Amino acid sequence: MTDIDQFWVADITYLHLAEEFAFLAVILDAFSGKVVGWALDTHPRASLAIEALEMAIARKQS
């Protein structure tokens, strides 16, 4: 790894809010440590991770 956008890592975690749980999917650039995509919702379905990945890809293309 010698530059940005060569290796991304992902994680999904939950947040305990006052009345419910929320799930946060995050895509990070492993070189810089910056968030390149994220998504937040009340479910941990695969679509949550896909939404975060789509954001990261869209940001890279712009």
Side-chain angles (χ1 to χ4, degrees):
M1 231 176 7
T2 60
D3 206 357
I4 62 171
D5 288 330
Q6 290 185 354
F7 188 67
W8 289 348
V9 294
D11 192 21
I12 298 176
T13 190
Y14 69 93
L15 307 166
H16 188 188
L17 305 176
E19 304 211 1
E20 63 184 340
F21 284 95
F23 296 87
L24 176 65
V26 179
I27 310 291
L28 298 165
D29 180 87
F31 181 78
S32 68
K34 291 184 180 180
V35 173
V36 293
W38 62 274
L40 180 69
D41 213 326
T42 57
H43 63 76
R45 293 184 207 110
S47 59
L48 181 67
I50 292 168
E51 186 178 337
L53 181 59
E54 287 173 343
M55 178 190 283
I57 292 168
R59 285 183 168 182
K60 183 177 175 172
Q61 292 174 345
S62 60

